[in-house]
Amino acid sequence: MPARTVGSLVLLDLTVPARDLARATGAPFEPAPAVVAELAKVCEEMAPMGRRMNVFGEAVVPPTDASAFEHLLAATGRDLRI
């Protein structure tokens, strides 16, 4: 894999679980829009492989008023209600 892809996957692996930790502790967490936009591209490209490797769950449908970050989370299989 190209180094940029590997770096983006590492950033994705830090960003998505950070939301889970923030949610569990009641802390706010909203990554920079530029980061979310870049990760959304990587996620779209890598999601099928991520699902085969059980890294991502099946995509969920985000609410109609979901933010770009919530769309990214839904693409990784995160249930936004929890």
Side-chain angles (χ1 to χ4, degrees):
M1 266 187 241
R4 182 174 177 90
T5 302
V6 173
S8 293
L9 290 173
V10 170
L11 183 57
L12 181 67
D13 199 34
L14 294 171
T15 303
V16 172
R19 176 268 185 180
D20 299 340
L21 179 60
R23 184 104 185 212
T25 61
F29 180 71
E30 187 68 36
V35 170
V36 172
E38 185 64 30
L39 292 180
K41 291 182 222 172
V42 171
C43 185
E44 183 177 330
E45 179 183 326
M46 304 301 290
M49 181 179 68
R51 287 188 185 92
R52 284 193 302 275
M53 296 175 67
N54 294 319
V55 176
F56 291 174
E58 288 301 317
V60 297
V61 177
T64 55
D65 62 343
S67 68
F69 185 42
E70 290 170 325
H71 278 273
L72 173 64
L73 293 167
T76 68
R78 290 298 198 278
D79 184 344
L80 301 175
R81 296 170 293 173
I82 54 174

